Amino acid sequence: VEKSPQVIGRNTVTRKFNTILKQFVATAAVAVFFMFSTGGAFAQTKTLRMATWLPPMHSLIKTLDRWGQEVSKASGGSLKVEIMKAPLAKPPGQYDLVKKNVTDLAWSVAAWSPKRFHLFRGIDMPFLFSSAEVGSAGLWDWYSKNKFADKEFTDSKLVGAYVNPPHLYHSRKKLTVLNDLKGQKIRAGGYGIGILKKLGAAPLFLNPPSTTQALQKGTIDGTQFPWEALKGFRLVKYSKYHLVIPNGLYTNAWWLSMSKKSWGSLTSTQKNAINAVGLSGSRLIGKGWDESEAAGKNAAIKAGNTITVLSDADTARLRKIVSFVEDGWVAKTNKMGLDGKALLADLRGTISKYK
């Protein structure tokens, strides 16, 4: 019996269609695998939300945005960092935001969690450096090579480590020598509280954003801050005297960390991208701090404020007074089974690489 030509045609078309469909599905599967396993150019951009607690006009916010751009560039555009508009927690509570997976990224001052970040605060020792870029590079390098994040950042992923420029003193009252600090109510934090007590001042801890109102109302007489804070917190007209410490008094270590859940959701390529900007990104943030220092100092000069560089005699006296900071850090580090003195010598050597 002769077969119908129409039936033969239908079967042929069906077979060809099935073959094409299988080829398409196979190709699509490979493409999907490539997108999600390699973070390729066709992968959907992942947005990482970064918590904040500083005013949006603060220079650090602009610098952190630049850090986010570097991460995006390193990831080939598969990552985007978005800084949130409003704070989700007070400054000392920022670490809990990444620890509890509330947000992808957060950052803050290590001194506000001293028990958690003792080793990280090795960079807080007095008179180590005068440039935040140098200090930030030294901190990331030293902390990374000693693998201290494995001890102190066990419930998050450290992705950046940086410092602000060293502190000086700003006051609405006369302040040209160390003795002028006696009896003055000075806003401080970290090791600065102990230092001011030894200088006869009355230190008070306030979150940085609260300083402006406290100075305006006379609740405090002055504050310890880098120059940049004069513009960042609008302090120029409330602090007419500025006492500069040669080579900087001391600084604060700042951490930038990611929640473990967010880190685990990244592709290997995206993780490599973030790791790749560890040193350069930390250095970038420190450089941003340095650039904002000049603007803060110039604002004080323009306002006609009194700027005094501490005398050699007072500087030598201050060095002796603040020695307790380093002694205490070494003693506590030794109790952890480490060689505190050797670690600080190594830190100084690491910092010198970037000067």
Side-chain angles (χ1 to χ4, degrees):
V1 179
E2 193 178 45
K3 294 184 179 179
S4 167
Q6 291 182 337
V7 173
I8 294 174
R10 260 198 319 271
N11 291 340
T12 301
V13 170
T14 300
R15 284 195 300 271
K16 287 183 178 180
F17 175 78
N18 288 339
T19 300
I20 293 172
L21 181 61
K22 288 177 182 178
Q23 290 175 341
F24 173 78
V25 170
T27 302
V30 171
V32 170
F33 174 80
F34 175 78
M35 281 193 292
F36 292 99
S37 65
T38 67
F42 297 104
Q44 185 177 3
T45 299
K46 183 179 182 66
T47 298
L48 301 175
R49 297 185 312 142
M50 178 186 286
T52 187
W53 51 269
L54 283 175
M57 75 288 291
H58 196 283
S59 62
L60 182 57
I61 302 301
K62 298 175 182 178
T63 305
L64 287 169
D65 183 62
R66 286 165 54 196
W67 178 87
Q69 292 172 28
E70 290 299 307
V71 168
S72 180
K73 186 188 303 181
S75 71
S78 69
L79 289 176
K80 177 184 177 183
V81 177
E82 182 180 279
I83 301 176
M84 302 177 75
K85 303 299 182 184
L88 296 178
K90 294 181 179 180
Q94 293 295 306
Y95 192 76
D96 282 341
L97 297 180
V98 286
K99 179 182 175 181
K100 298 179 180 179
N101 303 311
V102 176
T103 188
D104 302 309
L105 293 159
W107 45 272
S108 198
V109 180
W112 296 337
S113 305
K115 294 181 179 179
R116 178 187 293 274
F117 300 127
H118 169 73
L119 295 172
F120 194 69
R121 295 183 66 207
I123 199 74
D124 289 7
M125 299 302 104
F127 300 104
L128 282 184
F129 53 84
S130 57
S131 161
E133 180 182 2
V134 168
S136 298
L139 173 58
W140 177 267
D141 189 341
W142 175 79
Y143 199 74
S144 298
K145 73 180 179 181
N146 284 291
K147 302 185 185 305
F148 288 150
D150 294 341
K151 297 177 180 291
E152 296 185 322
F153 287 85
T154 55
D155 40 22
S156 74
K157 168 64 179 176
L158 183 69
V159 296
Y162 55 98
V163 300
N164 55 261
H167 295 288
L168 58 150
Y169 294 117
H170 314 274
S171 181
R172 60 191 181 92
K173 293 184 176 181
K174 180 176 175 291
L175 182 57
T176 57
V177 296
L178 284 183
N179 284 340
D180 287 339
L181 284 166
K182 289 184 177 179
Q184 289 201 34
K185 295 174 288 184
I186 306 294
R187 177 262 161 207
Y191 292 123
I193 292 177
I195 292 172
L196 283 165
K197 285 181 178 179
K198 288 185 176 292
L199 290 171
L204 293 88
F205 173 76
L206 288 174
N207 293 331
S210 303
T211 306
T212 309
Q213 188 176 36
L215 265 176
Q216 186 178 10
K217 290 184 174 181
T219 306
I220 59 175
D221 300 311
T223 182
Q224 64 166 38
F225 268 139
W227 282 113
E228 61 79 25
L230 295 185
K231 290 198 70 176
F233 298 118
R234 305 185 307 281
L235 303 176
V236 176
K237 66 179 180 179
Y238 304 119
S239 53
K240 295 297 183 181
Y241 294 88
H242 312 278
L243 187 58
V244 180
I245 316 298
N247 201 38
L249 177 55
Y250 84 99
T251 187
N252 292 113
W254 296 61
W255 51 264
L256 171 56
S257 212
M258 179 180 285
S259 81
K260 282 203 163 184
K261 181 179 179 181
S262 300
W263 179 255
S265 71
L266 302 182
T267 66
S268 59
T269 300
Q270 290 170 334
K271 289 178 180 178
N272 290 338
I274 292 177
N275 286 332
V277 299
L279 175 59
S280 63
S282 298
R283 195 168 187 170
L284 178 149
I285 298 172
K287 185 178 180 180
W289 278 113
D290 288 337
E291 291 170 348
S292 63
E293 279 291 271
K297 184 176 181 180
N298 288 338
I301 293 172
K302 186 176 180 180
N305 293 0
T306 301
I307 300 173
T308 305
V309 177
L310 196 65
S311 68
D312 291 344
D314 261 358
T315 300
R317 178 187 163 208
L318 184 59
R319 282 182 177 272
K320 291 180 180 179
I321 289 173
V322 302
S323 62
F324 78 93
V325 176
E326 185 168 319
D327 292 342
W329 190 90
V330 168
K332 187 171 181 179
T333 303
N334 290 345
K335 288 181 180 180
M336 297 171 67
L338 301 169
D339 189 334
K341 192 172 182 179
L343 282 172
L344 281 186
D346 182 39
L347 176 57
R348 287 188 170 92
T350 305
I351 290 171
S352 68
K353 288 167 46 180
Y354 300 98
K355 288 184 176 179

